[in-house]
Coordinates of all heavy atoms in Angstrom, one line a residue:
H1 N 0.8 -1.2 0.0 CA 0.0 0.0 0.0 C 0.9 1.3 0.0 O 1.9 1.3 0.6 CB -0.9 0.0 1.2 CG -1.9 -1.1 1.3 ND1 -1.6 -2.3 1.6 CD2 -3.2 -1.0 1.0 CE1 -2.7 -3.1 1.6 NE2 -3.7 -2.3 1.2
H2 N 0.4 2.3 -0.7 CA 1.1 3.6 -0.8 C 1.4 4.1 0.6 O 2.6 4.6 0.9 CB 0.3 4.6 -1.6 CG -0.9 5.1 -0.9 ND1 -2.0 4.3 -0.7 CD2 -1.2 6.3 -0.5 CE1 -3.0 5.0 -0.1 NE2 -2.5 6.2 0.0
F3 N 0.5 4.1 1.6 CA 0.7 4.7 2.9 C 1.8 3.9 3.7 O 2.4 4.4 4.6 CB -0.6 4.8 3.7 CG -1.3 3.5 3.9 CD1 -1.0 2.6 4.9 CD2 -2.4 3.2 3.1 CE1 -1.7 1.4 5.1 CE2 -3.1 2.0 3.3 CZ -2.7 1.1 4.3
R4 N 1.9 2.6 3.4 CA 3.0 1.8 4.1 C 4.4 2.2 3.7 O 5.3 2.2 4.5 CB 2.7 0.3 3.9 CG 1.6 -0.2 4.6 CD 2.0 -1.5 5.5 NE 0.9 -1.8 6.4 CZ -0.2 -2.4 6.1 NH1 -0.4 -2.7 4.8 NH2 -1.2 -2.6 7.0
L5 N 4.5 2.5 2.4 CA 5.9 3.0 1.9 C 6.2 4.3 2.7 O 7.4 4.5 3.1 CB 5.9 3.2 0.4 CG 7.3 3.4 -0.2 CD1 8.1 2.2 -0.1 CD2 7.2 3.8 -1.6
D6 N 5.2 5.2 2.8 CA 5.5 6.4 3.5 C 5.8 6.2 5.0 O 6.6 6.9 5.6 CB 4.2 7.4 3.4 CG 4.1 8.0 2.1 OD1 5.2 8.3 1.4 OD2 3.0 8.4 1.6
M7 N 5.1 5.2 5.6 CA 5.4 4.9 7.0 C 6.8 4.4 7.2 O 7.5 4.7 8.1 CB 4.4 3.8 7.4 CG 4.1 3.8 8.9 SD 3.1 2.4 9.5 CE 1.7 2.5 8.4
V8 N 7.2 3.5 6.2 CA 8.6 2.9 6.3 C 9.6 4.1 6.1 O 10.6 4.1 6.8 CB 8.8 1.9 5.2 CG1 10.3 1.4 5.2 CG2 7.9 0.6 5.5
D9 N 9.3 5.0 5.2 CA 10.2 6.2 5.0 C 10.4 7.0 6.3 O 11.5 7.4 6.7 CB 9.6 7.1 3.9 CG 10.3 8.4 3.7 OD1 11.5 8.3 3.6 OD2 9.6 9.4 3.8
K10 N 9.3 7.2 7.0 CA 9.3 8.0 8.3 C 10.2 7.3 9.3 O 11.0 7.9 10.0 CB 7.9 8.2 8.9 CG 7.1 9.2 8.1 CD 5.7 9.4 8.8 CE 4.9 10.4 8.0 NZ 3.5 10.4 8.5
V11 N 10.0 5.9 9.4 CA 10.8 5.2 10.4 C 12.3 5.2 10.0 O 13.1 5.4 10.9 CB 10.3 3.7 10.4 CG1 11.2 2.8 11.3 CG2 8.8 3.6 11.0
C12 N 12.6 5.1 8.8 CA 14.0 5.1 8.3 C 14.6 6.5 8.6 O 15.8 6.5 9.1 CB 14.1 4.8 6.8 SG 13.7 3.1 6.4
K13 N 13.9 7.6 8.4 CA 14.4 8.9 8.6 C 14.7 9.1 10.1 O 15.7 9.7 10.5 CB 13.4 10.0 8.2 CG 13.4 10.1 6.7 CD 12.2 11.1 6.2 CE 12.3 11.3 4.7 NZ 11.1 12.1 4.3
M14 N 13.8 8.6 11.0 CA 14.0 8.7 12.4 C 15.2 8.0 12.9 O 16.0 8.5 13.6 CB 12.7 8.3 13.1 CG 12.8 8.4 14.6 SD 11.5 7.5 15.5 CE 11.9 5.8 15.2
F15 N 15.3 6.7 12.5 CA 16.4 5.9 13.0 C 17.7 6.4 12.4 O 18.8 6.3 13.1 CB 16.2 4.4 12.6 CG 15.4 3.6 13.7 CD1 14.1 3.3 13.5 CD2 16.0 3.2 14.9 CE1 13.4 2.6 14.4 CE2 15.3 2.5 15.8 CZ 14.0 2.2 15.6
K16 N 17.7 6.8 11.2 CA 19.0 7.3 10.6 C 19.3 8.7 10.9 O 20.4 9.2 10.6 CB 18.9 7.2 9.0 CG 18.9 5.7 8.5 CD 20.3 5.2 8.5 CE 20.4 3.9 7.7 NZ 21.8 3.3 7.8
D17 N 18.3 9.4 11.6 CA 18.5 10.8 11.9 C 18.9 11.6 10.7 O 19.9 12.4 10.7 CB 19.5 11.0 13.0 CG 19.5 12.4 13.6 OD1 18.5 13.1 13.5 OD2 20.5 12.9 14.2
N18 N 18.2 11.4 9.6 CA 18.6 11.9 8.3 C 17.3 12.2 7.5 O 16.4 11.4 7.4 CB 19.4 10.9 7.5 CG 20.0 11.5 6.2 OD1 19.3 12.3 5.5 ND2 21.2 11.0 5.9
S19 N 17.1 13.5 7.0 CA 15.9 13.9 6.4 C 15.7 13.5 4.9 O 14.7 13.7 4.3 CB 15.7 15.4 6.5 OG 16.8 16.0 5.8
L20 N 16.8 12.9 4.4 CA 16.7 12.4 3.0 C 15.7 11.2 2.9 O 15.5 10.5 4.0 CB 18.1 11.9 2.5 CG 19.1 13.0 2.3 CD1 20.5 12.4 2.0 CD2 18.7 13.9 1.1
P21 N 15.1 10.9 1.8 CA 14.2 9.8 1.6 C 14.9 8.5 2.2 O 16.0 8.2 1.9 CB 14.0 9.7 0.1 CG 14.1 11.1 -0.4 CD 15.2 11.7 0.5
F22 N 14.1 7.8 3.0 CA 14.6 6.6 3.7 C 15.9 6.8 4.4 O 16.7 5.8 4.5 CB 14.7 5.4 2.7 CG 13.3 5.1 2.1 CD1 12.9 5.7 0.9 CD2 12.5 4.1 2.7 CE1 11.6 5.4 0.4 CE2 11.3 3.8 2.2 CZ 10.8 4.5 1.1
G23 N 16.1 8.0 4.9 CA 17.3 8.3 5.8 C 18.6 8.2 5.0 O 19.6 8.0 5.6
G24 N 18.5 8.3 3.7 CA 19.7 8.3 2.9 C 20.2 6.9 2.4 O 21.2 6.8 1.7
M25 N 19.4 5.9 2.7 CA 19.8 4.5 2.2 C 19.5 4.5 0.7 O 18.6 5.1 0.2 CB 19.0 3.5 2.9 CG 19.4 3.2 4.3 SD 18.5 1.7 5.0 CE 16.9 2.4 5.3
Q26 N 20.2 3.6 0.0 CA 19.8 3.3 -1.4 C 18.6 2.4 -1.3 O 18.6 1.4 -0.5 CB 21.0 2.6 -2.1 CG 20.6 2.2 -3.6 CD 21.5 1.3 -4.3 OE1 22.4 0.7 -3.7 NE2 21.4 1.2 -5.6
V27 N 17.6 2.7 -2.0 CA 16.3 2.0 -2.0 C 16.1 1.3 -3.4 O 16.1 2.0 -4.4 CB 15.1 2.8 -1.6 CG1 13.9 2.0 -1.5 CG2 15.4 3.4 -0.2
I28 N 15.8 0.1 -3.4 CA 15.5 -0.7 -4.6 C 14.1 -1.2 -4.5 O 13.8 -2.1 -3.7 CB 16.5 -1.8 -4.9 CG1 17.9 -1.2 -5.0 CG2 16.2 -2.5 -6.2 CD1 19.0 -2.1 -4.6
L29 N 13.2 -0.7 -5.3 CA 11.8 -1.2 -5.3 C 11.7 -2.2 -6.5 O 12.1 -1.8 -7.6 CB 10.8 -0.1 -5.4 CG 10.9 1.0 -4.3 CD1 9.9 2.1 -4.6 CD2 10.7 0.4 -3.0
V30 N 11.2 -3.4 -6.3 CA 11.1 -4.4 -7.4 C 9.7 -4.9 -7.5 O 9.0 -5.2 -6.5 CB 12.0 -5.6 -7.0 CG1 12.1 -6.5 -8.2 CG2 13.4 -5.1 -6.6
G31 N 9.2 -4.9 -8.7 CA 7.9 -5.4 -9.0 C 7.3 -4.9 -10.3 O 7.9 -4.2 -11.1
D32 N 6.0 -5.3 -10.5 CA 5.3 -5.0 -11.7 C 3.9 -4.6 -11.4 O 3.1 -5.4 -10.9 CB 5.4 -6.2 -12.6 CG 4.6 -6.1 -13.9 OD1 4.3 -4.9 -14.3 OD2 4.2 -7.1 -14.5
F33 N 3.5 -3.4 -11.6 CA 2.2 -2.9 -11.3 C 1.1 -3.5 -12.1 O -0.1 -3.3 -11.7 CB 2.1 -1.4 -11.4 CG 3.0 -0.6 -10.4 CD1 3.5 0.6 -10.7 CD2 3.2 -1.1 -9.2 CE1 4.2 1.4 -9.8 CE2 4.0 -0.4 -8.2 CZ 4.5 0.8 -8.6
F34 N 1.4 -4.3 -13.1 CA 0.4 -5.0 -13.8 C 0.0 -6.3 -13.2 O -0.9 -7.0 -13.6 CB 0.8 -5.3 -15.3 CG 0.8 -4.1 -16.2 CD1 2.0 -3.3 -16.4 CD2 -0.4 -3.6 -16.7 CE1 1.9 -2.2 -17.2 CE2 -0.4 -2.5 -17.5 CZ 0.7 -1.8 -17.8
Q35 N 0.8 -6.7 -12.1 CA 0.5 -7.9 -11.4 C -0.4 -7.6 -10.2 O -1.1 -6.6 -10.2 CB 1.8 -8.6 -11.1 CG 2.5 -9.1 -12.4 CD 3.7 -10.0 -12.2 OE1 3.6 -10.9 -11.4 NE2 4.8 -9.7 -12.9
L36 N -0.4 -8.5 -9.2 CA -1.4 -8.4 -8.1 C -1.3 -7.1 -7.3 O -0.2 -6.7 -7.0 CB -1.3 -9.6 -7.2 CG -1.5 -10.9 -7.8 CD1 -1.3 -12.0 -6.8 CD2 -3.0 -11.0 -8.3
P37 N -2.4 -6.4 -7.1 CA -2.4 -5.1 -6.5 C -2.5 -5.2 -5.0 O -2.7 -6.3 -4.4 CB -3.7 -4.4 -7.0 CG -4.6 -5.6 -7.2 CD -3.8 -6.8 -7.6
P38 N -2.3 -4.0 -4.2 CA -2.6 -4.1 -2.8 C -4.0 -4.5 -2.5 O -4.9 -4.2 -3.3 CB -2.3 -2.6 -2.4 CG -1.7 -1.9 -3.5 CD -2.0 -2.7 -4.7
I39 N -4.3 -5.1 -1.4 CA -5.6 -5.5 -1.1 C -6.4 -4.4 -0.4 O -5.9 -3.8 0.6 CB -5.6 -6.8 -0.1 CG1 -4.9 -7.9 -0.9 CG2 -7.0 -7.2 0.3 CD1 -4.6 -9.1 0.0
A40 N -7.6 -4.1 -0.9 CA -8.4 -3.0 -0.4 C -9.0 -3.5 1.0 O -9.3 -4.7 1.1 CB -9.5 -2.7 -1.3
R41 N -9.0 -2.7 2.0 CA -9.6 -3.0 3.3 C -10.9 -2.2 3.5 O -10.8 -1.0 3.5 CB -8.6 -2.7 4.4 CG -7.3 -3.5 4.3 CD -6.3 -3.0 5.3 NE -5.1 -3.7 5.3 CZ -4.8 -4.8 6.0 NH1 -5.6 -5.2 6.9 NH2 -3.6 -5.4 5.9
G42 N -12.0 -2.9 3.6 CA -13.3 -2.2 3.8 C -13.6 -1.3 2.7 O -13.5 -1.7 1.5
D43 N -13.9 -0.1 3.0 CA -14.3 0.9 2.0 C -13.1 1.7 1.5 O -13.2 2.5 0.6 CB -15.4 1.9 2.5 CG -16.7 1.2 2.9 OD1 -17.0 0.2 2.2 OD2 -17.3 1.6 3.8
E44 N -11.9 1.5 2.1 CA -10.7 2.2 1.8 C -10.1 1.8 0.5 O -10.0 0.6 0.2 CB -9.7 2.1 2.9 CG -8.5 3.1 2.8 CD -7.6 3.0 4.0 OE1 -7.9 2.2 4.9 OE2 -6.7 3.8 4.0
Q45 N -9.8 2.8 -0.4 CA -9.2 2.6 -1.7 C -7.8 2.2 -1.5 O -7.0 2.7 -0.7 CB -9.3 3.8 -2.5 CG -8.6 3.7 -3.9 CD -9.4 2.8 -4.8 OE1 -10.6 2.9 -4.9 NE2 -8.7 1.9 -5.5
A46 N -7.3 1.1 -2.2 CA -6.0 0.7 -2.1 C -5.2 1.2 -3.3 O -5.5 0.9 -4.5 CB -5.9 -0.9 -2.1
Y47 N -4.2 2.0 -3.1 CA -3.4 2.6 -4.1 C -2.0 2.0 -4.2 O -1.4 1.6 -3.2 CB -3.2 4.1 -3.9 CG -4.5 4.9 -4.1 CD1 -5.0 5.5 -3.0 CD2 -5.2 5.0 -5.3 CE1 -6.2 6.3 -3.1 CE2 -6.3 5.7 -5.4 CZ -6.9 6.3 -4.3 OH -8.1 7.0 -4.4
F48 N -1.5 1.9 -5.4 CA -0.1 1.4 -5.6 C 0.9 2.4 -5.0 O 0.5 3.6 -4.8 CB 0.2 1.2 -7.1 CG -0.5 0.1 -7.7 CD1 -1.7 0.3 -8.4 CD2 0.0 -1.2 -7.7 CE1 -2.4 -0.8 -9.0 CE2 -0.6 -2.3 -8.3 CZ -1.8 -2.0 -9.0

C-alpha cells in the first residue's frame, strides 16, 4: 500500500537521523504494477 511505503520512510528517517528519503539509504523497489495489487480493506481505496 502507498501509505505503508510512507510509513517505512518515516521510520527510516527517524532511525537514521537523516531527512533524506529513507534516511539516505539506497532503496530498490522491485515489482510490476500489472500484477497483483494491494488488497483493499473495507471501503478504503488501495493505491499502488
Side-chain angles (χ1 to χ4, degrees):
H1 294 79
H2 68 294
F3 57 81
R4 284 232 168 78
L5 191 67
D6 283 331
M7 208 188 305
V8 173
D9 173 52
K10 284 181 183 175
V11 172
C12 291
K13 285 173 176 171
M14 180 192 71
F15 271 104
K16 289 285 194 182
D17 193 22
N18 188 323
S19 61
L20 289 172
F22 295 92
M25 286 187 287
Q26 181 189 15
V27 179
I28 302 151
L29 305 178
V30 187
D32 176 19
F33 291 151
F34 285 99
Q35 296 190 43
L36 297 178
I39 297 169
R41 294 171 184 266
D43 297 330
E44 191 173 1
Q45 179 69 45
Y47 293 114
F48 290 96

